[in-house]
Amino acid sequence: MSDRLEIAGRALQRPLCNHCLGRLFASVSRGLSNDQRGAIVRFSIPGAPSPPASVDECYICGGLFDEVQKLAELAVRASDEFEFKTFLVGTKIDAELTEREEAFWTEVGAKETESIKSEMNREIGKVLEAKLGKTVDFANPEVVFLIDTRFDRVVLDVAPLFVYGRYRKFSRELPQTRWICRECRGKGCPHCGGKGRMYEMSVQDYTGPIVMRHAEGTEDFFHGMGREDIDARMLGNGRPFVVEVRKPMRRTIDLEAVQREINDVGKGVVEVEGMRVANRAEMRAIKESTHPKTYRVRVLFQADFDHGKLNEVVTSLAGKPISQQTPNRVAHRRADLERVRTVRRIEVESVIGREAVLVVETDSGTYIKELMHGDEGRTQPNVAGIVGVPCEVLELDVIAIGDKGE
Ligand SMILES: [Zn+2]
Ligand SMILES: [Zn+2]
C-alpha cells in the first residue's frame, strides 16, 4: 500500500481531478468509479492538495470529464429517430492527451491504470443508459455511438436488421438476387437495354425493398440458402433466406404485414412465409449450410429409347458418387474444378414417349442439368449416358431443401 501512496504523492505534484487521480489505481478495486476512488486516495494522503477549482486545470484531462453530460446529450439527439434497445459507446480522444497520460504513468510509476478513453466510454455510457432507458451491450449492440471528443461530433453505427423467411418462386425467368449490368454497373447501356440490370426483377427485388421500407433502412441485401437456376422454380416448403437491411430506423416491424405485402405484389411469381427477425449468426449459417436438395426434372430424349433403361439409371445412380467438372455454362465465371457429389435418391415419376420425369435428391451443390445430359462427358456418370440417348432438360424445379421429411 505504501507503494501506492508514494505513487499518489508523486502524481499529486500535478493538478489532477479525482477522475484522473483515481484512474491511476483503476484495477486495484472494483465497484467504485474513478472519481470516487480518486477522492479516497486524496483523502488518505496527509496534506494532499484539493482538486483544481476548475477541472480545466487538470494536468491530464484538461476538463474532459466535465463534457460527459454534453457529449451524452449530443448522442441522444443523434439517435433520436432510431429504435434500439442496446448500445455501446466508443470515444475518440485527442492523441496529445493520451500520450500525456501514458508519459505520466511512467513518470509516477503507476501500473494499475485505466486509459482515459476507457473511462470516458463508460461514463458516457452510464449517462446514456439513464437518459435513454437502454442498456450497454458489449457483444451485440444495436447502435454504436462513435463520439469524437475533439470536435463534439457523434456518428451512429447502426447494426443491420436481419429478417428470416422462406420463399417459393413460380417463375422460370427470375434470378434470386438483383443482377446489375456488368458493363455499366447500373447506369444503363446498350448491353442491358438501358435498364442497368440484366433482369428487371428478382426474388430480392420482390422482398428486400418491402422489408427495407418497413424498417426505414437505406439498403437491402439478400442471403439465400443456396440458389436455384434462373429457369428453375422453387417449390415445396420454399428456400430459407435472410434479408439484411442496413441502417434501420425501426427494428420492431409488423412482419405479418410485410409478408402480406410481399405476397400481394409477388402474386403468382414469388411467395414468402415464416418471416421473423433473425441475427447475423443465423444469416451466416444459412449462407454456409449444405442441405441436400430434391428436384423434379423433366427430360426430353432425342430418340426413342427402351424405357426399361430408366430402371438402370435408378440402380446405377442411387447412392453413388458422381464426378462433375465445372459445367460449360458457368466455366467463364468459375474455376474449372472437379466436384464429387452423391445422388441420395432417384425415382422415375413418369415416362411418356421420349419424355421422362425424374425426382432426384442430391447433395447440396450438385449440377442437376449436367447430371441429366452429361455436359459433353464432364459429368460422369450421367442419365443420357446410361440410357444411351442424348437428352435435354425441359424443366427443373426444386421441390425440397433439407433431408426428406425435415
Ligand atoms: Zn482530469
Ligand atoms: Zn448496362
Side-chain angles (χ1 to χ4, degrees), residues 375-388:
D375 199 24
E376 298 172 350
R378 295 164 70 83
T379 286
Q380 291 293 352
N382 60 73
V383 169
I386 297 165
V387 171

Side-chain angles (χ1 to χ4, degrees), residues 60 65 177 296 339 356 399:
I60 298 300
F65 287 97
T177 50
R296 177 176 288 117
R339 55 167 78 172
I399 57 173

Side-chain angles (χ1 to χ4, degrees), residues 11-132:
L12 285 168
Q13 302 295 306
R14 310 265 197 187
L16 290 181
C17 73
N18 280 340
H19 286 276
C20 293
L21 177 59
R23 224 167 41 253
L24 294 172
F25 310 98
S27 60
V28 174
S29 61
R30 293 177 174 274
L32 290 177
S33 67
N34 287 319
D35 195 23
Q36 294 166 323
R37 192 178 288 118
I40 292 168
V41 169
R42 196 183 298 274
F43 186 74
S44 57
I45 294 187
S50 312
S54 160
V55 201
D56 297 7
E57 290 162 31
C58 174
Y59 172 67
I60 298 300
C61 71
L64 195 58
F65 287 97
D66 252 8
E67 315 229 322
V68 166
Q69 287 291 337
K70 181 186 75 187
L71 292 169
E73 201 49 60
L74 288 175
V76 168
R77 244 175 286 153
S79 64
D80 232 7
E81 300 192 293
F82 289 84
E83 178 198 342
F84 60 103
K85 289 196 197 75
T86 58
F87 69 93
L88 191 61
V89 173
T91 49
K92 208 170 243 170
I93 309 282
D94 196 332
E96 196 187 308
L97 218 144
T98 52
E99 279 160 25
R100 188 165 7 141
E101 172 171 73
E102 281 164 28
F104 187 59
W105 293 344
T106 316
E107 180 185 317
V108 303
K111 295 202 171 65
E112 296 163 308
T113 57
E114 179 186 18
S115 71
I116 189 164
K117 178 187 170 73
S118 153
E119 184 181 0
M120 276 302 275
N121 290 348
R122 190 174 55 250
E123 290 303 316
I124 297 175
K126 280 198 272 187
V127 175
L128 279 177
E129 278 191 321
K131 278 187 190 291
L132 296 168

Side-chain angles (χ1 to χ4, degrees), residues 205-250:
D205 289 304
Y206 278 105
T207 54
I210 293 178
V211 181
M212 185 174 83
R213 181 161 44 71
H214 281 254
E216 298 176 45
T218 55
E219 217 181 340
D220 70 291
F221 294 83
F222 190 95
H223 311 283
M225 184 184 277
R227 59 170 66 208
E228 64 284 337
D229 290 338
I230 289 171
D231 60 1
R233 293 186 300 178
M234 177 65 234
L235 306 175
N237 262 340
R239 185 184 293 274
F241 69 95
V242 169
V243 167
E244 174 180 353
V245 176
R246 294 277 165 87
K247 213 163 182 190
M249 295 212 279
R250 301 278 149 264

Side-chain angles (χ1 to χ4, degrees), residues 67 70-71 74 92 147-154:
E67 315 229 322
K70 181 186 75 187
L71 292 169
L74 288 175
K92 208 170 243 170
I147 302 178
D148 193 329
T149 62
R150 301 165 303 176
F151 310 111
D152 292 350
R153 208 165 46 201
V154 178

